[in-house]
Amino acid sequence: MKNFFTTKRLCRAGVIAALYVALTYAFGAIAYSGFLEIRPAEALTILPLFFPEAVPALWVGCMLANLGSQFIMYDVPIGGLATLVAALCTYGVGRLIKNHVLRMAIGGIFPVLVNAFVIPFVIILCGGAEGFDTTVIAYWTFFGSLCATQSLWVYGLGSLLYAGIYGLQKKGISVFLDKPKNDKKTEKTGEI
């Protein structure tokens, strides 16, 4: 556990959390609208596939971002918990699956489905089912809408982010790696 809290990982976690908050606040009220949620910060939910520190970073970032929600009392703890569960599942996929297409496809499903199942409860709990005949119709309408918008951000924008980070890691860009990429001198002498 001592190697988990390196300076690099703590810095990356801070940047991830800050990016999530900034990308959410940049879109104001439409980031919390529920029906057509414009929240490109959800693209960051693929980061646990690469970085274990992204799990707590997304959790903290989501809770801080949800301070701007009109449903703050429920959205902060419940939305944060949904993000934490999704991030843990995505991290697990990243540890188990090495094929990059499958990693992205399966790892991305958790942020989509967890949010789509959980967030309609918050919306209906706080705002009721106004405009809908029944609560059940309201729930499944919000579920479908959140599946669509989450998929857009996680798979549309998130897959570009995934490809970019993967490419930077292959090039050996140190900020995206936990261990320095071995060069010829290091391999021969064993020194860093």
Side-chain angles (χ1 to χ4, degrees):
M1 191 69 165
K2 78 174 188 180
N3 289 337
F4 182 79
F5 294 106
T6 65
T7 304
K8 186 184 282 189
R9 284 185 172 181
L10 287 173
C11 290
R12 259 196 315 244
V15 168
I16 292 166
L19 277 172
Y20 191 98
V21 173
L23 286 170
T24 302
Y25 283 168
F27 287 86
I30 59 176
Y32 309 101
S33 68
F35 188 68
L36 289 175
E37 209 171 68
I38 308 300
R39 198 182 273 212
E42 289 297 315
L44 299 173
T45 59
I46 60 95
L47 293 178
L49 294 172
F50 294 103
F51 312 115
E53 65 274 14
V55 173
L58 290 168
W59 178 48
V60 170
C62 180
M63 287 192 301
L64 291 173
N66 286 346
L67 290 173
S69 170
Q70 64 185 357
F71 307 131
I72 185 173
M73 190 168 135
Y74 298 104
D75 212 5
V76 170
I78 296 172
L81 186 60
T83 297
L84 178 62
V85 168
L88 284 168
C89 293
T90 300
Y91 172 72
V93 167
R95 301 276 297 174
L96 294 174
I97 299 174
K98 299 305 174 200
N99 178 291
H100 292 287
V101 174
L102 281 176
R103 262 177 107 189
M104 182 60 206
I106 296 170
I109 200 71
F110 295 106
V112 172
L113 290 181
V114 170
N115 279 304
F117 276 111
V118 172
I119 302 307
F121 283 118
V122 174
I123 296 167
I124 293 170
L125 178 69
C126 296
E130 275 185 48
F132 296 97
D133 292 338
T134 67
T135 305
V136 173
I137 292 172
Y139 176 84
W140 289 110
T141 301
F142 285 120
F143 173 85
S145 171
L146 283 164
C147 274
T149 57
Q150 284 287 115
S151 294
L152 172 69
W153 301 119
V154 172
Y155 289 112
L157 195 56
S159 61
L160 296 174
L161 181 61
Y162 184 96
I165 291 173
Y166 177 68
L168 291 168
Q169 283 184 336
K170 280 188 76 165
K171 287 183 179 178
I173 307 298
S174 66
V175 79
F176 297 100
L177 299 170
D178 282 331
K179 297 175 186 166
K181 189 172 182 177
N182 290 338
D183 57 20
K184 300 291 181 195
K185 181 181 175 188
T186 304
E187 288 175 6
K188 289 180 183 174
T189 63
E191 298 173 7
I192 296 179

